Amino acid sequence: MNIRPRSILLVTPVALASVSWLSHDAIALDFSQARVTQVVQDVKVMPSGAAARPAAVNETVHQGSAVQTGTQSRSELTFQDKTITRLGENTIFTVGGARTIELGSGQFLLYVPKKAGGAKVKMGSVTAAITGTTVLGNVYPSGIVEFTVLEGSACMHLDKTGQAMYVQAGQKVVYDPMTGRFDNPVDVDIQEQLSSPLVSDFRRLPSSGLIDQEIAIQRGRANDDLVRALAASGATIGTATPEQFLAAFDSVIMRSDPHTVCVLVGRAVRARPDLADRIVVAAITSARPVRGYSKDFKQPIGKEISCEEIDCIIRAAIAAHPSAAREIADAAIAAAPLLRDCLVAAASRPCPVANAFVEPRIINTINPSNEVPVSPEQPPSSGL
């Protein structure tokens, strides 16, 4: 009798080892030099302490040097780890180091490969930290900064005040020096963003497949499924009772991949903010129960939801309804107490899901005699 195994477990450690090796190798590469891979019309290289000269394809631009484009001109630079920077017209871009680049003014597109170690973009007093992401940016002469995420996510930080915010795919955030703060993120049509010359006038981006996935989701694929599920019960998003809405939501997320679940959570919370906490609980516990959530429910370990997925769900929900952050976190912990570690880890990250000012961290000397014991069942006192 021939037995065909359903899975080969030995593949997983090998694959993880390969990913780990590639990740460490990529992280070792900094942004101290880049190769010019495309030049359109008037593009100049301005070495530090030397006169500007015309840029040439395949030349290397070193740390401290700047690249400047003229009117109706564009350029592309590729770093050692395959990170790509594209510059629009009238743009000044400085090659940095330690995975940091600086845009003095103008338009840019930045693509950072997954597991490449991430990057920081300095735009005046604004810093954006990204990992495995494709973004568009514009720094105007007035000091206004526009930043749009096409796929992946970014953490925006305002150096002067400490204000920080989390920006997801399909969102744009604007910094206005007149107000001295970020505006709340707004939704943008990703498909429309692709008409930018920084996309359309160059070769196909390595992340094009990921951008296409975001467009497909943004165009309502997930919402359509929810609408159809509600229609089967004779309701709509607006008229459904809480029970009808959550039943339809459950039926959709049961057959959705983790990324689509995150997107669907955000859209469902926007559509029914009154059900924000219950939507999050459903997303966390319905499709793939957490280990220990229910002692009566038996689920293979490989099917359990990960902290990364939990973080994505919580962030999507709070980004859709920031004022319900506490209720969302409390509901998640109450539904699945073992989520506490994941939620605390998410809360301790330097990038909040809501538009907020980051409080300075003050480290005090710990006196054991002053420590108050905390019950393992007690929820954390800090919110997301």
Side-chain angles (χ1 to χ4, degrees):
M1 179 175 64
N2 294 327
I3 300 176
R4 300 179 62 184
R6 295 179 180 270
S7 62
I8 303 177
L9 297 180
L10 290 178
V11 172
T12 302
V14 174
L16 290 175
S18 300
V19 169
S20 175
W21 177 82
L22 289 173
S23 176
H24 287 297
D25 184 61
I27 290 173
L29 301 175
D30 60 18
F31 286 169
S32 60
Q33 63 182 35
R35 184 168 57 92
V36 178
T37 45
Q38 188 162 340
V39 172
V40 178
Q41 295 194 36
D42 181 20
V43 181
K44 290 183 173 63
V45 174
M46 300 183 291
S48 178
R53 55 178 170 74
V57 174
N58 288 327
E59 77 165 290
T60 300
V61 182
H62 296 278
Q63 181 175 350
S65 298
V67 177
Q68 183 177 30
T69 60
T71 303
Q72 296 184 341
S73 303
R74 290 174 292 283
S75 185
E76 180 185 80
L77 294 90
T78 302
F79 292 88
Q80 293 173 290
D81 67 348
K82 307 304 180 184
T83 289
I84 293 172
T85 300
R86 293 175 180 174
L87 311 177
E89 64 176 356
N90 300 321
T91 297
I92 300 176
F93 170 85
T94 302
V95 176
R99 303 199 64 80
T100 299
I101 59 179
E102 184 174 347
L103 188 78
S105 63
Q107 311 158 22
F108 75 97
L109 178 146
L110 179 64
Y111 156 71
V112 179
K114 307 293 183 186
K115 302 185 183 302
K120 287 186 178 181
V121 187
K122 294 281 293 181
M123 299 164 284
S125 60
V126 175
T127 300
I130 64 176
T131 56
T133 307
T134 308
V135 301
L136 284 168
N138 200 342
V139 179
Y140 293 91
S142 63
I144 291 176
V145 176
E146 292 181 346
F147 191 88
T148 303
V149 178
L150 302 181
E151 60 89 13
S153 62
C155 181
M156 306 294 294
H157 189 267
L158 192 55
D159 301 338
K160 293 180 179 179
T161 63
Q163 184 188 10
M165 69 166 56
Y166 176 75
V167 188
Q168 303 178 89
Q171 289 187 323
K172 178 175 75 173
V173 65
V174 176
Y175 165 70
D176 187 343
M178 294 297 292
T179 62
R181 62 171 291 133
F182 292 122
D183 293 335
N184 286 326
V186 296
D187 294 335
V188 297
D189 189 325
I190 299 175
Q191 183 66 61
E192 290 182 1
Q193 302 300 310
L194 300 188
S195 62
S196 166
L198 296 178
V199 179
S200 60
D201 290 0
F202 290 82
R203 60 192 170 96
R204 182 176 169 86
L205 284 165
S207 58
S208 291
L210 297 174
I211 295 173
D212 290 342
Q213 290 177 19
E214 296 292 350
I215 292 172
I217 294 172
Q218 193 178 66
R219 287 298 171 93
R221 184 180 67 194
N223 268 7
D224 288 346
D225 288 344
L226 182 57
V227 169
R228 282 193 291 268
L230 285 168
S233 63
T236 66
I237 288 178
T239 64
T241 65
E243 290 69 27
Q244 287 175 317
F245 188 91
L246 292 169
F249 180 77
D250 282 343
S251 70
V252 174
I253 62 174
M254 286 290 288
R255 57 180 185 272
S256 298
D257 61 87
H259 179 64
T260 302
V261 169
C262 285
V263 175
L264 186 57
V265 165
R267 293 189 170 200
V269 170
R270 286 188 182 93
R272 291 296 298 267
D274 57 310
L275 300 176
D277 53 345
R278 297 177 67 181
I279 288 169
V280 168
V281 170
I284 290 172
T285 61
S286 295
R288 278 156 302 177
V290 182
R291 185 185 311 174
Y293 167 64
S294 172
K295 64 182 180 180
D296 298 324
F297 192 96
K298 301 298 182 181
Q299 184 84 354
I301 292 178
K303 295 293 184 180
E304 292 166 358
I305 192 168
S306 67
C307 277
E308 183 179 356
E309 292 173 53
I310 293 168
D311 185 39
C312 183
I313 289 169
I314 298 295
R315 285 177 175 270
I318 296 178
H321 194 4
S323 62
R326 167 61 68 180
E327 290 77 9
I328 289 170
D330 288 348
I333 292 175
L338 293 187
L339 292 181
R340 184 178 291 110
D341 290 344
C342 294
L343 291 169
V344 169
S348 66
R349 293 183 181 180
C351 192
V353 292
N355 188 352
F357 290 89
V358 179
E359 295 292 334
R361 294 186 179 182
I362 301 175
I363 302 176
N364 295 322
T365 302
I366 298 176
N367 184 345
S369 63
N370 294 333
E371 289 297 296
V372 179
V374 178
S375 167
E377 297 303 317
Q378 180 178 331
S381 59
S382 59
L384 290 180

